[in-house]
């Protein structure tokens, strides 16, 4: 299943409503991704070291997660995030 622009828009709206920043290229920080998933940043760090993969990339400023990957990970019901 792939995410669409409506899913990404909903996640952007969620970030705005909850005081989180959407970074360039529709990416968010590890802290924001964890909040979206209702998990701790430590959980995301654990997932990076296990088979439960959520695509992310390392930058000088920390780990970044694409909204499209988060929408896909959350499934079709991103309104509940």
């Amino acid at each position: 299943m792939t995410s669409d622009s409506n899913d990404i828009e909903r996640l952007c709206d969620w970030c705005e409503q909850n005081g989180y920043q959407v970074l360039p290229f529709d990416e968010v920080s590890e802290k924001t991704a964890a909040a979206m998933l209702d998990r701790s940043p430590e959980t995301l760090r654990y997932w990076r070291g296990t088979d439960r993969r959520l695509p992310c990339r390392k930058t000088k400023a920390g780990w970044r997660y694409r909204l499209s990957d988060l929408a896909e990970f959350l499934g079709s019901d991103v309104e509940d995030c």
Side-chain angles (χ1 to χ4, degrees):
M1 179 175 177
T2 60
S3 61
D4 64 19
S5 60
N6 289 333
D7 293 338
I8 295 169
E9 219 172 287
R10 284 187 206 112
L11 292 177
C12 284
D13 289 343
W14 182 91
C15 286
E16 184 177 324
Q17 293 168 0
N18 291 283
Y20 291 102
Q21 181 180 17
V22 176
L23 303 167
F25 309 111
D26 287 334
E27 292 182 325
V28 295
S29 69
E30 179 180 64
K31 178 181 174 183
T32 302
M36 284 181 170
L37 298 173
D38 196 25
R39 301 289 189 268
S40 70
E42 289 80 16
T43 298
L44 272 58
R45 291 180 203 128
Y46 174 77
W47 287 354
R48 282 196 300 268
T50 66
D51 290 338
R52 184 160 186 178
R53 291 289 182 170
L54 177 60
C56 60
R57 70 182 185 95
K58 177 75 171 146
T59 69
K60 290 180 183 178
W63 291 94
R64 299 292 182 246
Y65 294 81
R66 292 185 311 184
L67 291 178
S68 58
D69 293 331
L70 289 166
E72 188 172 336
F73 187 83
L74 287 166
S76 61
D77 199 6
V78 296
E79 291 178 3
D80 289 341
C81 92

